[in-house]
Amino acid sequence: MISEILILVISFVVLLAIGVPVAWSIGLSCLFTMLATIDSLAAFTTVAQRMGTGLDSFALLAIPFFILAGQIMNQGGIANRLINFAKALIGSLPGGLVYVNVIAAMLFGAISGSAVAAASAIGGILGPPMERENYSREFGAAINVTSSTTGLVIPPSNILIVYSLASGGVSIASLFLAGYLPGILMGLALMLVAAIWIKKKKYPAGNASSFGKIASTFLNALPSLLLLVVVIGGIVTGIFTATEASGIAVLYCLILSLIYGELNPKMLYNVFLNSVGTTAIVMLLIATSMSMSWVMSYENIPQSVSSALLNLSENKYVILLIINLLLLFVGTFMDMTPAVLIFTPIFLPVMVNLDVDPVHFGIIMVMNLCVGLCTPPVGAVLFIGVGVAKTTLQKVIKPLLPLYLVMAIVLLLVTFIPAISLWLPSLFD
């Protein structure tokens, strides 16, 4: 068994190191491992079969629909209306555009469920006015990158759907409810760092918005905000499933964008094209990751890791700390989707053994991997944010450091205070 594990790990690391895409690295390392165990025809057949079986899930249909909804929002004027509302509400504060960035990213990320879409849309819209008002381009990029990840915790969230699949059916409604308080807490913590930075730089206060302007921007943003109520309310009350909710989200966003008049048939073609491309990448990652998960189960890796961790310590909090550190490390070099699919079957049995609620652990895992999206060498959101801000990674790292620190502090709070995640779901039990 040791030789097969070494083949799996070493081949995966080497393939990543030489620049092979993550999905192909996962699939090929699975194939190499199976070739060392069974004959070639059976190995090829097994890996292909497990990839196909991994995608055979009704819940996964929600992912392409939520991706499409996010693309429609990005092009249909919805992001602009959310930003205008946030600007009218708090733009008059000293350094107000930084707070606007955080709140807009939380709102847009929550509605679209995509950190990359949030970083691209919010950074693209707020970047020029922030530069005109002499904000630091690097700090603006740093705050945009980190705040964009809050939308992966605040529902609806594609990655929480993936976790539900990997965990064997943890309630998506419970996961969605559990994400609200941790996501909001993360946003507030990032705003606290922003406040300290703003005070240090002595930014002047902006012009206060009139009540009429706040009311009008709120009314313009209200249809977009109602999407959260429709989608989450429908799931929690049992009116429809998460998959059905994703279809409703697409229809809602499409109608809204057409009413706004900012989406024409030519743009719609590009929206569908971009959505198909993103979906193909995500689904290939899911397929190969499910194959790797099966290979690891076949080689008894989850059981070996579980016993090793429990032998190391029987203290729940020590194990949680160790798993947090491992997930933070994994997040620096592995994309979120494969990380959830591969490591959930390994770590979840340990957590269940220590009476950690699977819903709570799902939020812990996603928050850990959110940090990875903001860190080199493979942080997708980091590189999008740097590119949109037209700056360099080297310049952005320094302002990112205090933001990493508060993300880690919030992660520890959520890890060791389960009520932050579980209080809201408990109200609907």
Side-chain angles (χ1 to χ4, degrees):
M1 184 185 79
I2 297 298
S3 60
E4 285 82 0
I5 295 172
L6 287 174
I7 291 170
L8 182 69
V9 173
I10 293 171
S11 60
F12 176 65
V13 171
V14 169
L15 287 166
L16 276 182
I18 62 175
V20 177
V22 176
W24 288 97
S25 298
I26 294 169
L28 288 170
S29 60
C30 290
L31 181 60
F32 296 153
T33 307
M34 293 309 294
L35 285 170
T37 309
I38 55 179
D39 66 74
S40 58
L41 180 60
F44 278 97
T45 305
T46 301
V47 172
Q49 183 187 53
R50 289 297 156 183
M51 286 175 66
T53 306
L55 293 176
D56 186 16
S57 169
F58 181 68
L60 284 179
L61 279 173
I63 293 176
F65 281 122
F66 277 129
I67 288 171
L68 178 56
Q71 289 284 346
I72 293 170
M73 287 176 58
N74 210 353
Q75 299 293 324
I78 294 173
N80 274 323
R81 283 163 175 80
L82 293 173
I83 289 171
N84 288 338
F85 171 55
K87 281 172 72 174
L89 198 63
I90 58 168
S92 61
L93 296 173
L97 284 180
V98 178
Y99 301 126
V100 170
N101 194 316
V102 178
I103 291 176
M106 289 169 69
L107 290 172
F108 184 81
I111 295 171
S112 70
S114 169
V116 170
S120 176
I122 308 302
I125 294 168
L126 281 178
M130 288 179 79
E131 196 168 336
R132 282 196 300 271
E133 295 185 26
N134 296 317
Y135 285 80
S136 162
R137 185 182 291 187
E138 286 69 38
F139 188 80
I143 205 78
N144 181 42
V145 165
T146 48
S147 61
S148 295
T149 62
T150 58
L152 297 173
V153 186
I154 302 171
S157 166
N158 286 337
I159 200 64
L160 290 176
I161 295 169
V162 172
Y163 172 78
S164 173
L165 173 72
S167 64
V170 172
S171 166
I172 293 175
S174 296
L175 286 167
F176 278 7
L177 286 169
Y180 273 112
L181 290 181
I184 292 169
L185 186 61
M186 184 68 80
L188 291 173
L190 294 173
M191 289 173 75
L192 178 63
V193 174
I196 295 168
W197 178 80
I198 288 163
K199 188 173 182 180
K200 183 180 176 183
K201 296 292 182 180
K202 297 180 180 176
Y203 278 100
N207 296 321
S209 299
S210 66
F211 177 77
K213 185 174 181 181
I214 294 172
S216 66
T217 55
F218 171 70
L219 289 173
N220 279 334
L222 184 59
S224 307
L225 296 172
L226 281 176
L227 176 61
L228 285 174
V229 178
V230 172
V231 170
I232 305 303
I235 294 171
V236 170
T237 55
I239 296 172
F240 39 69
T241 64
T243 306
E244 292 161 346
S246 64
I248 290 167
V250 169
L251 187 62
Y252 189 101
C253 289
L254 186 58
I255 292 170
L256 201 58
S257 297
L258 292 173
I259 291 171
Y260 289 155
E262 297 192 27
L263 196 64
N264 58 46
K266 186 178 179 181
M267 290 171 69
L268 200 56
Y269 171 79
N270 289 327
V271 163
F272 281 117
L273 195 64
N274 290 335
S275 299
V276 169
T278 305
T279 300
I281 293 167
V282 172
M283 288 303 177
L284 182 59
L285 279 168
I286 290 173
T288 53
S289 300
M290 292 299 283
S291 177
M292 180 175 272
S293 181
W294 183 86
V295 169
M296 290 194 298
S297 178
Y298 181 77
E299 300 294 346
N300 290 319
I301 294 174
Q303 293 87 336
S304 301
V305 172
S306 179
S307 62
L309 283 171
L310 292 172
N311 286 335
L312 196 63
S313 173
E314 292 185 2
N315 186 306
K316 177 169 68 175
Y317 300 106
V318 171
I319 299 297
L320 276 168
L321 189 59
I322 292 169
I323 289 177
N324 270 327
L325 291 171
L326 289 171
L327 287 172
L328 285 170
F329 172 70
V330 166
T332 61
F333 68 87
M334 186 178 283
D335 191 71
M336 208 172 204
T337 300
V340 168
L341 288 166
I342 291 166
F343 290 96
T344 298
I346 294 176
F347 293 140
L348 186 58
V350 182
M351 295 292 94
V352 172
N353 212 3
L354 294 171
D355 294 324
V356 175
D357 193 293
V359 171
H360 179 212
F361 179 64
I363 301 301
I364 292 170
M365 175 173 258
V366 169
M367 290 186 75
N368 266 291
L369 297 172
C370 280
V371 179
L373 290 176
C374 309
T375 57
V378 295
V381 179
L382 173 61
F383 290 107
I384 290 287
V386 167
V388 169
K390 298 185 174 76
T391 184
T392 63
L393 180 61
Q394 291 79 5
K395 291 179 180 178
V396 172
I397 288 295
K398 186 178 178 182
L400 272 172
L401 294 177
L403 297 168
Y404 288 151
L405 178 62
V406 296
M407 290 178 86
I409 291 169
V410 173
L411 171 61
L412 290 174
L413 287 173
V414 172
T415 299
F416 297 117
I417 307 174
I420 297 174
S421 301
L422 300 178
W423 175 72
L424 207 51
S426 69
L427 298 180
F428 291 85
D429 284 344

